[in-house]
Amino acid sequence: ILPCLSGGGFLVQVTPDANLPVPASPVTYEAEASCNTLSPGVRRENFSSLHASGGVQVNEIGLGRSLQWNGIRVAHEGDYLLTLYYSTKDDRQATLLVDGEVVEQQARFYGNGGYPSSQTRSFGADGMGFHHLVVHLGVGRHSVSVQSAADGWAPNFDRLTLTPLTSEGK
């Protein structure tokens, strides 16, 4: 099981205005990290390192179960691009929470339907889907949770990245 925090990710330019500063590099938090909270029945499972960044993803998030990333640290208050990386063949939904507060009630995670990633929206070259949302976070520690409906299933999760969208001191 990986430790709670790892570096890396990708750089995102979220504005078409070339005069604005490029956001700082994202911070990556693995779903399988030992400090995260998994509901009973949710499990860490080896998954090809070609697809899962750490070679492991979190599965069986269904029937009201959840995955919570703990220990997310923010040094500066502001807006952040939160990106969840997942895998699923079928379209799925889940509720997204930050610090226990709902930020997206029925987030939709599109399945790849068995098609190559180039033919499916929201999928990267590594076969992982991605779901973006902007969240406002204060300085300190935070948690991010995904919870399935009581009668449904969420996708399998690999990691999340957090990218600052506002420059320090603004």
Side-chain angles (χ1 to χ4, degrees), residues 97-110:
L97 303 98
V98 173
D99 298 330
E101 298 292 325
V102 173
V103 293
E104 195 170 353
Q105 183 62 44
Q106 293 183 344
R108 185 159 183 171
F109 298 90
Y110 295 99

PDB file of all heavy atoms in Angstrom, residues 97-110:
ATOM      1  N   LEU A  97     -18.045  14.516  -2.117  1.00  0.00           N
ATOM      2  CA  LEU A  97     -18.053  15.350  -0.917  1.00  0.00           C
ATOM      3  C   LEU A  97     -16.647  15.867  -0.630  1.00  0.00           C
ATOM      4  O   LEU A  97     -15.669  15.153  -0.847  1.00  0.00           O
ATOM      5  CB  LEU A  97     -18.534  14.554   0.292  1.00  0.00           C
ATOM      6  CG  LEU A  97     -19.915  13.905   0.182  1.00  0.00           C
ATOM      7  CD1 LEU A  97     -19.780  12.446  -0.207  1.00  0.00           C
ATOM      8  CD2 LEU A  97     -20.642  14.021   1.481  1.00  0.00           C
ATOM      9  N   VAL A  98     -16.573  17.088  -0.145  1.00  0.00           N
ATOM     10  CA  VAL A  98     -15.321  17.657   0.340  1.00  0.00           C
ATOM     11  C   VAL A  98     -15.561  18.044   1.791  1.00  0.00           C
ATOM     12  O   VAL A  98     -16.514  18.778   2.089  1.00  0.00           O
ATOM     13  CB  VAL A  98     -14.869  18.878  -0.491  1.00  0.00           C
ATOM     14  CG1 VAL A  98     -13.663  19.546   0.141  1.00  0.00           C
ATOM     15  CG2 VAL A  98     -14.566  18.463  -1.926  1.00  0.00           C
ATOM     16  N   ASP A  99     -14.771  17.519   2.675  1.00  0.00           N
ATOM     17  CA  ASP A  99     -14.916  17.754   4.115  1.00  0.00           C
ATOM     18  C   ASP A  99     -16.329  17.447   4.601  1.00  0.00           C
ATOM     19  O   ASP A  99     -16.887  18.139   5.436  1.00  0.00           O
ATOM     20  CB  ASP A  99     -14.526  19.191   4.465  1.00  0.00           C
ATOM     21  CG  ASP A  99     -13.079  19.494   4.132  1.00  0.00           C
ATOM     22  OD1 ASP A  99     -12.254  18.563   4.188  1.00  0.00           O
ATOM     23  OD2 ASP A  99     -12.769  20.652   3.799  1.00  0.00           O
ATOM     24  N   GLY A 100     -16.925  16.397   4.044  1.00  0.00           N
ATOM     25  CA  GLY A 100     -18.250  15.950   4.458  1.00  0.00           C
ATOM     26  C   GLY A 100     -19.409  16.712   3.842  1.00  0.00           C
ATOM     27  O   GLY A 100     -20.566  16.360   4.075  1.00  0.00           O
ATOM     28  N   GLU A 101     -19.136  17.737   3.047  1.00  0.00           N
ATOM     29  CA  GLU A 101     -20.177  18.530   2.396  1.00  0.00           C
ATOM     30  C   GLU A 101     -20.296  18.119   0.932  1.00  0.00           C
ATOM     31  O   GLU A 101     -19.297  18.023   0.219  1.00  0.00           O
ATOM     32  CB  GLU A 101     -19.849  20.021   2.475  1.00  0.00           C
ATOM     33  CG  GLU A 101     -19.761  20.562   3.885  1.00  0.00           C
ATOM     34  CD  GLU A 101     -21.105  20.583   4.600  1.00  0.00           C
ATOM     35  OE1 GLU A 101     -22.136  20.826   3.927  1.00  0.00           O
ATOM     36  OE2 GLU A 101     -21.120  20.349   5.827  1.00  0.00           O
ATOM     37  N   VAL A 102     -21.529  17.916   0.465  1.00  0.00           N
ATOM     38  CA  VAL A 102     -21.758  17.522  -0.916  1.00  0.00           C
ATOM     39  C   VAL A 102     -21.348  18.661  -1.854  1.00  0.00           C
ATOM     40  O   VAL A 102     -21.792  19.798  -1.688  1.00  0.00           O
ATOM     41  CB  VAL A 102     -23.241  17.154  -1.154  1.00  0.00           C
ATOM     42  CG1 VAL A 102     -23.512  16.899  -2.629  1.00  0.00           C
ATOM     43  CG2 VAL A 102     -23.623  15.934  -0.315  1.00  0.00           C
ATOM     44  N   VAL A 103     -20.485  18.349  -2.828  1.00  0.00           N
ATOM     45  CA  VAL A 103     -20.086  19.327  -3.836  1.00  0.00           C
ATOM     46  C   VAL A 103     -20.654  18.963  -5.209  1.00  0.00           C
ATOM     47  O   VAL A 103     -20.711  19.810  -6.103  1.00  0.00           O
ATOM     48  CB  VAL A 103     -18.551  19.515  -3.922  1.00  0.00           C
ATOM     49  CG1 VAL A 103     -18.022  20.160  -2.650  1.00  0.00           C
ATOM     50  CG2 VAL A 103     -17.845  18.210  -4.224  1.00  0.00           C
ATOM     51  N   GLU A 104     -21.047  17.705  -5.396  1.00  0.00           N
ATOM     52  CA  GLU A 104     -21.699  17.266  -6.633  1.00  0.00           C
ATOM     53  C   GLU A 104     -22.553  16.054  -6.288  1.00  0.00           C
ATOM     54  O   GLU A 104     -22.037  15.007  -5.919  1.00  0.00           O
ATOM     55  CB  GLU A 104     -20.659  16.941  -7.702  1.00  0.00           C
ATOM     56  CG  GLU A 104     -21.238  16.845  -9.077  1.00  0.00           C
ATOM     57  CD  GLU A 104     -20.188  16.768 -10.176  1.00  0.00           C
ATOM     58  OE1 GLU A 104     -18.981  16.927  -9.892  1.00  0.00           O
ATOM     59  OE2 GLU A 104     -20.571  16.545 -11.321  1.00  0.00           O
ATOM     60  N   GLN A 105     -23.876  16.227  -6.393  1.00  0.00           N
ATOM     61  CA  GLN A 105     -24.797  15.190  -5.943  1.00  0.00           C
ATOM     62  C   GLN A 105     -24.756  13.947  -6.819  1.00  0.00           C
ATOM     63  O   GLN A 105     -24.682  12.841  -6.318  1.00  0.00           O
ATOM     64  CB  GLN A 105     -26.225  15.740  -5.893  1.00  0.00           C
ATOM     65  CG  GLN A 105     -27.246  14.756  -5.376  1.00  0.00           C
ATOM     66  CD  GLN A 105     -26.993  14.308  -3.950  1.00  0.00           C
ATOM     67  OE1 GLN A 105     -26.690  15.112  -3.075  1.00  0.00           O
ATOM     68  NE2 GLN A 105     -27.103  13.021  -3.683  1.00  0.00           N
ATOM     69  N   GLN A 106     -24.840  14.096  -8.124  1.00  0.00           N
ATOM     70  CA  GLN A 106     -24.838  12.933  -9.006  1.00  0.00           C
ATOM     71  C   GLN A 106     -23.779  13.109 -10.076  1.00  0.00           C
ATOM     72  O   GLN A 106     -24.080  13.289 -11.249  1.00  0.00           O
ATOM     73  CB  GLN A 106     -26.212  12.732  -9.622  1.00  0.00           C
ATOM     74  CG  GLN A 106     -27.257  12.331  -8.606  1.00  0.00           C
ATOM     75  CD  GLN A 106     -28.604  12.061  -9.246  1.00  0.00           C
ATOM     76  OE1 GLN A 106     -28.863  12.422 -10.373  1.00  0.00           O
ATOM     77  NE2 GLN A 106     -29.470  11.414  -8.498  1.00  0.00           N
ATOM     78  N   ALA A 107     -22.526  13.055  -9.652  1.00  0.00           N
ATOM     79  CA  ALA A 107     -21.426  13.169 -10.602  1.00  0.00           C
ATOM     80  C   ALA A 107     -21.500  11.991 -11.561  1.00  0.00           C
ATOM     81  O   ALA A 107     -21.695  10.849 -11.143  1.00  0.00           O
ATOM     82  CB  ALA A 107     -20.094  13.164  -9.861  1.00  0.00           C
ATOM     83  N   ARG A 108     -21.353  12.287 -12.828  1.00  0.00           N
ATOM     84  CA  ARG A 108     -21.451  11.237 -13.842  1.00  0.00           C
ATOM     85  C   ARG A 108     -20.054  10.846 -14.309  1.00  0.00           C
ATOM     86  O   ARG A 108     -19.248  11.695 -14.666  1.00  0.00           O
ATOM     87  CB  ARG A 108     -22.270  11.716 -15.017  1.00  0.00           C
ATOM     88  CG  ARG A 108     -22.496  10.629 -16.013  1.00  0.00           C
ATOM     89  CD  ARG A 108     -23.659  10.907 -16.869  1.00  0.00           C
ATOM     90  NE  ARG A 108     -23.829   9.757 -17.746  1.00  0.00           N
ATOM     91  CZ  ARG A 108     -24.851   9.598 -18.516  1.00  0.00           C
ATOM     92  NH1 ARG A 108     -25.803  10.495 -18.520  1.00  0.00           N
ATOM     93  NH2 ARG A 108     -24.930   8.554 -19.294  1.00  0.00           N
ATOM     94  N   PHE A 109     -19.793   9.555 -14.289  1.00  0.00           N
ATOM     95  CA  PHE A 109     -18.535   8.990 -14.730  1.00  0.00           C
ATOM     96  C   PHE A 109     -18.834   8.132 -15.958  1.00  0.00           C
ATOM     97  O   PHE A 109     -19.524   7.123 -15.851  1.00  0.00           O
ATOM     98  CB  PHE A 109     -17.903   8.153 -13.618  1.00  0.00           C
ATOM     99  CG  PHE A 109     -17.584   8.957 -12.391  1.00  0.00           C
ATOM    100  CD1 PHE A 109     -18.516   9.109 -11.372  1.00  0.00           C
ATOM    101  CD2 PHE A 109     -16.359   9.594 -12.273  1.00  0.00           C
ATOM    102  CE1 PHE A 109     -18.226   9.864 -10.250  1.00  0.00           C
ATOM    103  CE2 PHE A 109     -16.064  10.353 -11.145  1.00  0.00           C
ATOM    104  CZ  PHE A 109     -17.003  10.485 -10.149  1.00  0.00           C
ATOM    105  N   TYR A 110     -18.341   8.555 -17.106  1.00  0.00           N
ATOM    106  CA  TYR A 110     -18.649   7.878 -18.357  1.00  0.00           C
ATOM    107  C   TYR A 110     -17.823   6.616 -18.518  1.00  0.00           C
ATOM    108  O   TYR A 110     -16.621   6.610 -18.244  1.00  0.00           O
ATOM    109  CB  TYR A 110     -18.389   8.813 -19.544  1.00  0.00           C
ATOM    110  CG  TYR A 110     -19.302  10.007 -19.543  1.00  0.00           C
ATOM    111  CD1 TYR A 110     -18.864  11.232 -19.065  1.00  0.00           C
ATOM    112  CD2 TYR A 110     -20.610   9.892 -19.996  1.00  0.00           C
ATOM    113  CE1 TYR A 110     -19.708  12.328 -19.044  1.00  0.00           C
ATOM    114  CE2 TYR A 110     -21.466  10.990 -19.978  1.00  0.00           C
ATOM    115  CZ  TYR A 110     -21.006  12.198 -19.497  1.00  0.00           C
ATOM    116  OH  TYR A 110     -21.848  13.278 -19.478  1.00  0.00           O
TER     117      TYR A 110
END
